[in-house]
Each structure stands twice: as C-alpha cells, then as structure tokens.
Amino acid sequence: MRYFVLSSIVLIGLAGCADINLRENSETKPTVNAELGEVRPEARPTDNEVVEVAAAGTARVGTLGVTIASLDASMPGLWMKTPLVSVAQNGRISFNGKSASVQLLPIDGPATSGSLISLDAMRAIGAPLTGLPEIAVTGV
C-alpha cells in the first residue's frame, strides 16, 4: 500500500511538470527562416535584457548635475529621487569627497528643483541628516 501511494505521488508530480513545460512552450511565437524553410520558436528575453532595453534609450550616463537633497526616510535602501533622471537607473552620489552607488529614481519637476534622498544614502556619504546638502549626481 505504501508503494502504491508513493508511486501515485511521483506520477502526479511528473504529470504536473509536463503540464508546466507545455504551457511555457506554447507561449513562444514561431518564426520562419525563409532561407532554410524552418519554423523555430522565438527566444524570449530575460528580465535583465528587458530592463536594459527599456532603459537604454533614456538612461543618462556621466555627470548629471548638482542638487540640493533633503532626507526622505519613507523607504529603506540606497536611493535618491531626483528630477535629473527620467527613468530609474543606477548612479553615484558624492558629498565632501565621499561617494556611494545608489538607485536614481525620477520625480517630476525642473532639473533645478531639489531631490529626496534615503537615510541609508545620506549616511553612506556622510551628509548631515538635518541639513540640506549639495550633492553631485552621476549616472552609471
């Protein structure tokens, strides 16, 4: 009786795996190679490729400018919300010779308006938590 139950569980599990594979394969779109007369499934991009393609046209690299930043402790992590970028991208911020890698997040407003910076990012660059530091922003 034990063997029957175990073998049933294994067979049900294998059937479920086969079903998952069929669903994944059915989502690919076939492409036709006219030279060879072959029909092949179209490869799907990975998540990283999708992000790079989406951000490639509008992400800025190099010196983006200087901004006055105020503390925003609403969410953890190393980030800065700034009007100097139009899409989320990686960047570096600098203050008094110290720098840190952060996620640059877009906010509405002219490039001359201020930015919001996370508590972790302010600590990483040694900026005063109660002040309004002038921070250099670079896109990477």
Side-chain angles (χ1 to χ4, degrees), residues 40-117:
R40 295 182 174 222
E42 184 178 314
R44 285 186 251 160
T46 64
D47 289 338
N48 291 339
E49 290 172 337
V50 172
V51 170
E52 288 174 338
V53 169
T58 55
R60 296 179 57 202
V61 178
T63 302
L64 302 178
V66 177
T67 185
I68 303 295
S70 61
L71 177 64
D72 179 2
S74 63
M75 59 185 198
L78 293 167
W79 54 267
M80 174 185 267
K81 294 178 183 176
T82 181
L84 298 174
V85 296
S86 58
V87 295
Q89 69 178 69
N90 293 327
R92 288 196 70 73
I93 56 172
S94 302
F95 177 76
N96 285 348
K98 291 181 79 175
S99 65
S101 294
V102 297
Q103 180 73 24
L104 299 174
L105 306 170
I107 56 173
D108 289 332
T112 56
S113 63
S115 300
L116 300 171
I117 185 170

Side-chain angles (χ1 to χ4, degrees), residues 118-133:
S118 71
L119 178 62
D120 294 334
M122 284 192 87
R123 287 181 175 160
I125 60 173
L129 300 179
T130 58
L132 296 171

Side-chain angles (χ1 to χ4, degrees), residues 28-47:
T28 59
K29 297 176 185 175
T31 58
V32 178
N33 184 341
E35 291 178 8
L36 302 175
E38 296 177 334
V39 176
R40 295 182 174 222
E42 184 178 314
R44 285 186 251 160
T46 64
D47 289 338

